[in-house]
């Protein structure tokens, strides 16, 4: 009998030990939360005896996904500034990984643990907006005034079926960049403007085994698409037809743009390691004078300066074919980093206040004053600043500015890019497949994805 | 005769040194990648990505180590990782040694079923179970806590460690335990007084395995711990990798910080690990 | 305790004894309770929910939390027809089998040598285990440095010894990328196999070894015919565990190539990850992961059956 009771006792003891230790960790957390609440209520009681509407202190969770170093620093200082100016609405910023944005955000969405505010890639509205996880900002009463501050093209991209799921924080427009010294040494004063010039210049700048005329990121299919499709858009092509039911992959604009890269690869002027090149890899090649030209957003300027402080860069618009290949207006892809609000947020009004300020004209000014932040301003007012003209690559942006295009805001966009066309195009560029066959393969894959609605 | 002897001696010395040569080649293969990371972490930015590679930095610097500390509170991550791994390891050992004892010695019905269910539970890819687990953890109100992580790791480590300990316990002769029963020991007492001391090497090995499992886990830690206060080192390192530009010397520095604690633990428990580890698997 | 002593009158005696017999039988189950409850809660429940998911509408989350509809086995069909399924199944099998086989051979050689050397034994043992102790993430990262095309150590070394004439883009084409993945993975798993086999070798009794020596058997023969059969259980379990774990390997591949270039090194866990998290196709992803576990289950039991039969002979 003794034995039984003893073994029972020991088992129970082990159970209680385990769970009480587990509980200690949880209770620790909760206690601190309670004390802060207690403190604030106490503070409110003592100070705000006269004001009847004692504003309750709220803490907003804010997830910041990725960005270049200077940009992260800027975000941190902005949040600190907000916190010191707004004691009632405190913002708790947590840095998250850009690479794992999808898995992280989706788990949060499906468990109802999304933060109040998040800064993510603009394409997230496609899935999360229509999925009902993001708060439509047009629900707020002063939305119709606030929206006038922003450049319409950006707002429009984040708007699905009349619902505004986020505000832009910075615009990313890819322009052609070049290593000034390498180009000058080869006798070029400015970057090529047409596809033929691009091919020729790239060929001239190539020293086999040592340096290459052109570089593109090919290790990540999405990164590749955003840097390659510029040429397709420039040729007057588009991704989908007007009602987004059919892919236009086999159109001449696509074929031309793929052929351009396949030709450069054949000439040996495209970095032969492009399939293994990621952002950091390309950055190292740029800084090491191994590549002469590339397409990037302004955010790369800071990191280049960090690695090669004396390097001078040339900027130019994305080269265009001699004549338009497609029916759409010649355009440039605009990519957006947005700030959005969770529809499950408990402090929507507070979050709205913060969001307006964070993306609004006052904060946006800094993107003009500090080009190392790596983005373009998104508010109209910033364009009027005199410093706007000094932003690196201003003329190139100016040349692109009027004709901004966006990727279609459909939920299957990521799948279309990663599974639909990018692998086939990469194969065609690398010479493993003819351009025609590759695009046919891509077409059938894209159609299969689009038909799965 | 004499020449025969000479050949024998020759054979012995050559073969003997050959053994060492082969071993040293494998050792070099084993440590070169890590040595390269260590060297990289002390380089300056201009020495990292250059051709031909620079092996030894001209002026070894700790800048990279200091920089990552600036970037995120790696001290807190380190503390969290240690807490989570130690507790998960300990709880796993407690639960699975009890279970292994029960399965190995108490003639329970369903022993085979439980053992095979444990093995099958290892066959699922992490990506497909992460969302249901997350939903459950949220229901239990353990989301974004170290407790939640400890609980998950314990549950995921129990199957394998139960299997290992089950093997060890079966190698211990039943007679030893019976002698203890005659002395008036209860079952629980005999587990603590007889079985566990005899299988200490196995416990050490299993503990290392569990500690490493919890220490290196990335996906669950990523989605369950969103705050700096509860973030673990793998997620810190992952965030560093996931940055748009993180220079390699900083990544290396973070990787080194990340690798030191398990190495220390391994050095401490190395002896028990080698004498143990498979004794369990020997007899099923 | 006093209560039990007092209740020693004759009528209650039987019932109490019976009750205690039951209680005693029950109490044995308390030992396995914590483990079984925890595993059931955290491991089994997700697997069941996975099965349920696999039978429901694919784009579950896209409907904004609306109730998913039951669709039968159509997810399994779409998983089977998924463009990358066959490629990733082939890659998974190739990756797992070649990694485990080569790592096993390495592990065997090293453990035999380690068992036979007397000097520097601890030194060797501690260093050889480094790749296992560090995290898979760090391992993959360090190999990414080494395989880098423009300044990687491997290109430098091969150029120096004249094995190649120009820098090779290891991670930039299918053949070398797959090889690079496998090499990195072998490097990561061989220490564990070495240590397990070493412990197995040490437990083979010295008498048997000496008996073999007297028989005059050659060294290789001695190991194949006498010593290895002695430790067949270790070998079986090491290979089985490595097979299961490597079939589910995700970190190394994701860090090194993300399944690229152009999806040529995608394996099943990476594909499941993409479908589930990026394309919001939870149904297909669940179906695919059930197929994956079924493949592992079938192959493991097949393997156990073959090995079991052989060792019985």
């Amino acid at each position: 009998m003794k034995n039984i009771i003893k073994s029972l006792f020991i088992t129970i003891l082990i159970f209680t030990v385990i769970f009480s230790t587990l509980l200690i960790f949880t209770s620790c957390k909760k206690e601190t939360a309670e004390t802060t609440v207690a403190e604030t209520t106490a503070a409110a009681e003592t100070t705000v005896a006269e004001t009847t509407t004692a504003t309750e202190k709220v803490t907003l969770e804010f997830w910041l996904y990725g960005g270049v170093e200077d940009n992260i620093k800027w975000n941190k200082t902005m949040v600190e500034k907000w916190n010191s100016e707004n004691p009632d609405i405190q913002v708790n910023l947590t840095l998250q990984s850009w690479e794992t944005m999808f898995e992280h955000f989706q788990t949060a969405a499906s468990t109802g643990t999304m933060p109040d505010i998040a800064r993510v890639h603009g394409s997230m509205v496609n899935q999360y907006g229509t999925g009902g996880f993001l708060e439509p900002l047009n629900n707020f009463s002063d939305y119709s005034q606030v929206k006038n501050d922003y450049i319409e093209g950006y707002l429009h991209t984040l708007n699905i079926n009349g619902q505004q799921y986020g505000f832009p924080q910075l615009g990313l427009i890819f322009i052609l960049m070049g290593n000034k010294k390498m180009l000058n040494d080869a006798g070029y004063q400015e970057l090529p403007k047409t596809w033929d010039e691009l091919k020729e210049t790239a060929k001239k700048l190539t020293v086999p085994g040592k340096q290459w005329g052109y570089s593109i990121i090919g290790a990540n299919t999405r990164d590749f698409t955003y840097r390659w499709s510029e040429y397709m858009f420039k040729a007057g092509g588009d991704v989908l037809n007007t009602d987004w039911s059919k892919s236009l992959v086999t159109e001449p604009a696509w074929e031309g743009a793929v052929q351009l890269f396949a030709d450069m690869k054949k000439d040996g002027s495209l970095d032969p390691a492009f399939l293994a090149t990621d952002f950091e890899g390309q950055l190292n090649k740029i800084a090491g004078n191994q590549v002469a030209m590339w397409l990037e957003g302004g955010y790369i300027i800071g990191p280049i300066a960090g690695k090669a402080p004396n390097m001078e860069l040339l900027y130019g618009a994305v080269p265009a074919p001699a004549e338009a290949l497609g029916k759409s207006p010649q355009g440039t892809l605009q990519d957006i980093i947005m700030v959005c609000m969770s529809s499950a947020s408990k402090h929507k009004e507070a979050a709205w206040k913060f969001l307006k300020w964070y993306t609004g004209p006052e904060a946006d000014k800094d993107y003009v004053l500090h080009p190392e932040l790596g983005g373009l301003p998104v508010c109209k007012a910033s364009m009027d600043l005199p410093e706007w003209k000094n932003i690196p690559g201003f003329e190139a942006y100016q040349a692109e500015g009027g004709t901004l295009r966006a990727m279609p805001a459909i939920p299957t966009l990521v799948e279309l890019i990663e599974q639909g066309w990018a692998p086939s195009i990469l194969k065609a560029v690398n010479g493993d497949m003819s351009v025609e066959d590759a695009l046919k393969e891509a077409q059938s894959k894209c159609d299969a994805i689009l038909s799965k609605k | 005769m004499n020449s025969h002897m000479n050949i024998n001696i020759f054979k012995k010395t050559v073969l003997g040194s050959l053994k060492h040569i082969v071993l040293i080649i494998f050792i070099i293969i084993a440590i070169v990648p890590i040595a390269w990371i260590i060297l990289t972490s002390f380089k300056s930015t201009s020495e990292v990505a250059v051709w031909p590679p620079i092996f030894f930095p001209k002026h070894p610097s700790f800048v990279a180590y200091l920089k990552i500390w600036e970037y995120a509170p790696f001290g807190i991550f380190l503390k969290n990782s240690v807490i989570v791994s130690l507790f998960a390891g300990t709880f796993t050992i407690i639960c699975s040694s009890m279970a292994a004892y029960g399965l190995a010695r108490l003639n329970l019905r369903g022993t085979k079923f439980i053992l095979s269910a444990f093995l099958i539970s290892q066959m699922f890819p992490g990506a497909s179970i992460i969302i249901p687990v997350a939903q459950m953890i949220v229901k239990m109100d353990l989301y974004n806590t170290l407790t939640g992580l400890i609980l998950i790791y314990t549950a995921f480590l129990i199957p394998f460690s139960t299997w290992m300990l089950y093997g060890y316990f079966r190698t211990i002769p039943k007679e030893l335990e019976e002698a203890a029963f005659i002395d008036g020991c209860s079952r629980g007492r005999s587990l603590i007084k007889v079985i566990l001391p005899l299988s200490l090497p196995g416990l050490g090995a299993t503990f290392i395995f569990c500690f490493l499992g919890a220490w290196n886990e990335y996906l669950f830690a990523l989605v369950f711990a969103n705050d700096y206060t509860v973030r673990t080192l793998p997620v810190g390192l992952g965030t560093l990798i996931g940055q748009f530009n993180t220079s390699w010397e900083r990544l290396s520095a973070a990787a080194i910080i990340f690798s030191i604690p398990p190495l220390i633990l391994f050095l401490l428990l190395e002896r028990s690990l080698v004498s143990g580890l498979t004794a369990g698997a020997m007899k099923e | 305790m006093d209560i039990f002593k007092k209740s020693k009158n004759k009528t209650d005696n039987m019932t109490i004894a019976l009750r205690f017999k039951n209680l005693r039988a029950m109490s044995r189950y308390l030992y396995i309770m914590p483990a079984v409850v925890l595993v059931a809660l955290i491991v089994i429940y997700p697997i069941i929910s996975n099965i349920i998911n696999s039978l429901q509408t694919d784009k579950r989350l896209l409907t904004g939390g609306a109730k998913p509809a039951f669709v039968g086995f159509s997810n399994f069909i779409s998983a089977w027809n998924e463009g990358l399924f066959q490629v990733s199944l082939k890659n998974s099998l190739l990756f797992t089998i070649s990694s485990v086989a080569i790592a096993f051979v390495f592990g065997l050689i090293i453990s035999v040598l380690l068992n036979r050397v007397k000097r520097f034994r601890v030194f060797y043992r501690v260093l050889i285990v480094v790749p296992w102790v560090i995290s898979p993430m760090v391992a993959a990262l360090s190999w990414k440095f080494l395989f880098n095309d423009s300044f990687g150590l491997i290109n430098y070394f091969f150029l120096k010894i004249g094995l190649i004439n120009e820098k090779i883009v290891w991670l930039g084409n299918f053949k070398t990328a797959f090889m690079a993945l496998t090499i990195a993975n072998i490097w990561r798993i061989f220490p564990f196999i070495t240590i397990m086999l070493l412990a197995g070798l040490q437990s083979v009794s010295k008498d048997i070894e000496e008996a073999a020596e007297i028989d005059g058997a050659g060294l290789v023969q001695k190991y194949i015919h006498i010593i290895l059969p002695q430790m067949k259980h270790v070998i079986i379990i090491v290979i089985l565990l490595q097979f299961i774990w490597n079939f589910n390997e995700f970190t190394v591949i994701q860090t090194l190539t993300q399944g690229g270039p152009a999806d040529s090194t995608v394996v099943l866990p990476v594909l499941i990850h993409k479908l589930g998290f990026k394309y919001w196709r939870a149904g297909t992803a669940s179906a695919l992961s059930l197929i994956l576990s079924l493949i592992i289950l079938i192959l493991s039991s097949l393997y156990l059956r073959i090995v079991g039969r052989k060792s019985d002979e």
Side-chain angles (χ1 to χ4, degrees), chain A residues 246-258:
Chain A
K246 218 178 141 328
S247 135
L248 301 176
V249 170
T250 41
E251 299 278 292
W254 284 73
E255 210 179 313
V258 180

PDB file of all heavy atoms in Angstrom, chain A residues 246-258:
ATOM      1  N   LYS A 246      -6.358  35.940 -67.506  1.00  0.00           N
ATOM      2  CA  LYS A 246      -5.457  35.249 -68.414  1.00  0.00           C
ATOM      3  C   LYS A 246      -4.073  35.860 -68.314  1.00  0.00           C
ATOM      4  O   LYS A 246      -3.923  37.073 -68.198  1.00  0.00           O
ATOM      5  CB  LYS A 246      -5.988  35.381 -69.841  1.00  0.00           C
ATOM      6  CG  LYS A 246      -5.807  34.127 -70.680  1.00  0.00           C
ATOM      7  CD  LYS A 246      -6.411  34.344 -72.038  1.00  0.00           C
ATOM      8  CE  LYS A 246      -5.634  33.746 -73.180  1.00  0.00           C
ATOM      9  NZ  LYS A 246      -4.227  33.637 -73.136  1.00  0.00           N
ATOM     10  N   SER A 247      -3.081  35.010 -68.364  1.00  0.00           N
ATOM     11  CA  SER A 247      -1.719  35.519 -68.299  1.00  0.00           C
ATOM     12  C   SER A 247      -1.239  35.918 -69.701  1.00  0.00           C
ATOM     13  O   SER A 247      -1.659  35.345 -70.693  1.00  0.00           O
ATOM     14  CB  SER A 247      -0.818  34.441 -67.702  1.00  0.00           C
ATOM     15  OG  SER A 247       0.351  34.329 -68.432  1.00  0.00           O
ATOM     16  N   LEU A 248      -0.402  36.936 -69.763  1.00  0.00           N
ATOM     17  CA  LEU A 248       0.061  37.434 -71.059  1.00  0.00           C
ATOM     18  C   LEU A 248       1.517  37.054 -71.309  1.00  0.00           C
ATOM     19  O   LEU A 248       2.252  37.747 -72.012  1.00  0.00           O
ATOM     20  CB  LEU A 248      -0.095  38.960 -71.116  1.00  0.00           C
ATOM     21  CG  LEU A 248      -1.512  39.481 -70.910  1.00  0.00           C
ATOM     22  CD1 LEU A 248      -1.512  40.997 -70.880  1.00  0.00           C
ATOM     23  CD2 LEU A 248      -2.439  38.988 -72.000  1.00  0.00           C
ATOM     24  N   VAL A 249       1.922  35.941 -70.727  1.00  0.00           N
ATOM     25  CA  VAL A 249       3.340  35.581 -70.716  1.00  0.00           C
ATOM     26  C   VAL A 249       3.930  35.407 -72.119  1.00  0.00           C
ATOM     27  O   VAL A 249       5.103  35.695 -72.333  1.00  0.00           O
ATOM     28  CB  VAL A 249       3.526  34.297 -69.877  1.00  0.00           C
ATOM     29  CG1 VAL A 249       4.910  33.734 -70.027  1.00  0.00           C
ATOM     30  CG2 VAL A 249       3.273  34.613 -68.414  1.00  0.00           C
ATOM     31  N   THR A 250       3.115  34.947 -73.070  1.00  0.00           N
ATOM     32  CA  THR A 250       3.690  34.697 -74.405  1.00  0.00           C
ATOM     33  C   THR A 250       3.645  35.920 -75.318  1.00  0.00           C
ATOM     34  O   THR A 250       3.996  35.826 -76.487  1.00  0.00           O
ATOM     35  CB  THR A 250       2.969  33.517 -75.091  1.00  0.00           C
ATOM     36  OG1 THR A 250       1.578  33.641 -74.829  1.00  0.00           O
ATOM     37  CG2 THR A 250       3.473  32.201 -74.555  1.00  0.00           C
ATOM     38  N   GLU A 251       3.220  37.062 -74.776  1.00  0.00           N
ATOM     39  CA  GLU A 251       3.180  38.287 -75.578  1.00  0.00           C
ATOM     40  C   GLU A 251       4.598  38.711 -75.986  1.00  0.00           C
ATOM     41  O   GLU A 251       5.576  38.372 -75.320  1.00  0.00           O
ATOM     42  CB  GLU A 251       2.541  39.419 -74.766  1.00  0.00           C
ATOM     43  CG  GLU A 251       1.121  39.155 -74.338  1.00  0.00           C
ATOM     44  CD  GLU A 251       0.117  39.468 -75.438  1.00  0.00           C
ATOM     45  OE1 GLU A 251      -0.018  40.659 -75.755  1.00  0.00           O
ATOM     46  OE2 GLU A 251      -0.509  38.539 -75.947  1.00  0.00           O
ATOM     47  N   PRO A 252       4.701  39.498 -77.083  1.00  0.00           N
ATOM     48  CA  PRO A 252       6.031  39.909 -77.581  1.00  0.00           C
ATOM     49  C   PRO A 252       6.875  40.662 -76.551  1.00  0.00           C
ATOM     50  O   PRO A 252       8.098  40.514 -76.548  1.00  0.00           O
ATOM     51  CB  PRO A 252       5.697  40.837 -78.756  1.00  0.00           C
ATOM     52  CG  PRO A 252       4.294  40.557 -79.118  1.00  0.00           C
ATOM     53  CD  PRO A 252       3.613  39.960 -77.961  1.00  0.00           C
ATOM     54  N   ALA A 253       6.229  41.445 -75.684  1.00  0.00           N
ATOM     55  CA  ALA A 253       7.009  42.212 -74.707  1.00  0.00           C
ATOM     56  C   ALA A 253       7.771  41.277 -73.779  1.00  0.00           C
ATOM     57  O   ALA A 253       8.924  41.524 -73.415  1.00  0.00           O
ATOM     58  CB  ALA A 253       6.089  43.128 -73.899  1.00  0.00           C
ATOM     59  N   TRP A 254       7.105  40.180 -73.370  1.00  0.00           N
ATOM     60  CA  TRP A 254       7.777  39.203 -72.512  1.00  0.00           C
ATOM     61  C   TRP A 254       8.926  38.554 -73.267  1.00  0.00           C
ATOM     62  O   TRP A 254      10.034  38.438 -72.770  1.00  0.00           O
ATOM     63  CB  TRP A 254       6.786  38.119 -72.059  1.00  0.00           C
ATOM     64  CG  TRP A 254       5.851  38.558 -70.984  1.00  0.00           C
ATOM     65  CD1 TRP A 254       4.793  39.400 -71.110  1.00  0.00           C
ATOM     66  CD2 TRP A 254       5.908  38.184 -69.609  1.00  0.00           C
ATOM     67  NE1 TRP A 254       4.179  39.570 -69.905  1.00  0.00           N
ATOM     68  CE2 TRP A 254       4.835  38.826 -68.957  1.00  0.00           C
ATOM     69  CE3 TRP A 254       6.747  37.360 -68.860  1.00  0.00           C
ATOM     70  CZ2 TRP A 254       4.579  38.676 -67.603  1.00  0.00           C
ATOM     71  CZ3 TRP A 254       6.487  37.201 -67.506  1.00  0.00           C
ATOM     72  CH2 TRP A 254       5.422  37.859 -66.881  1.00  0.00           C
ATOM     73  N   GLU A 255       8.598  38.123 -74.487  1.00  0.00           N
ATOM     74  CA  GLU A 255       9.598  37.418 -75.270  1.00  0.00           C
ATOM     75  C   GLU A 255      10.822  38.293 -75.478  1.00  0.00           C
ATOM     76  O   GLU A 255      11.957  37.834 -75.306  1.00  0.00           O
ATOM     77  CB  GLU A 255       8.980  37.032 -76.618  1.00  0.00           C
ATOM     78  CG  GLU A 255       9.569  35.773 -77.191  1.00  0.00           C
ATOM     79  CD  GLU A 255       8.906  35.416 -78.506  1.00  0.00           C
ATOM     80  OE1 GLU A 255       7.654  35.443 -78.573  1.00  0.00           O
ATOM     81  OE2 GLU A 255       9.629  35.130 -79.460  1.00  0.00           O
ATOM     82  N   GLY A 256      10.568  39.574 -75.815  1.00  0.00           N
ATOM     83  CA  GLY A 256      11.670  40.494 -76.047  1.00  0.00           C
ATOM     84  C   GLY A 256      12.543  40.657 -74.823  1.00  0.00           C
ATOM     85  O   GLY A 256      13.774  40.603 -74.904  1.00  0.00           O
ATOM     86  N   ALA A 257      11.899  40.827 -73.662  1.00  0.00           N
ATOM     87  CA  ALA A 257      12.666  41.075 -72.440  1.00  0.00           C
ATOM     88  C   ALA A 257      13.454  39.843 -72.020  1.00  0.00           C
ATOM     89  O   ALA A 257      14.576  39.958 -71.516  1.00  0.00           O
ATOM     90  CB  ALA A 257      11.731  41.520 -71.321  1.00  0.00           C
ATOM     91  N   VAL A 258      12.866  38.648 -72.225  1.00  0.00           N
ATOM     92  CA  VAL A 258      13.615  37.431 -71.902  1.00  0.00           C
ATOM     93  C   VAL A 258      14.783  37.288 -72.865  1.00  0.00           C
ATOM     94  O   VAL A 258      15.904  36.963 -72.463  1.00  0.00           O
ATOM     95  CB  VAL A 258      12.709  36.173 -71.959  1.00  0.00           C
ATOM     96  CG1 VAL A 258      13.518  34.930 -71.624  1.00  0.00           C
ATOM     97  CG2 VAL A 258      11.561  36.306 -70.983  1.00  0.00           C
TER      98      VAL A 258
END
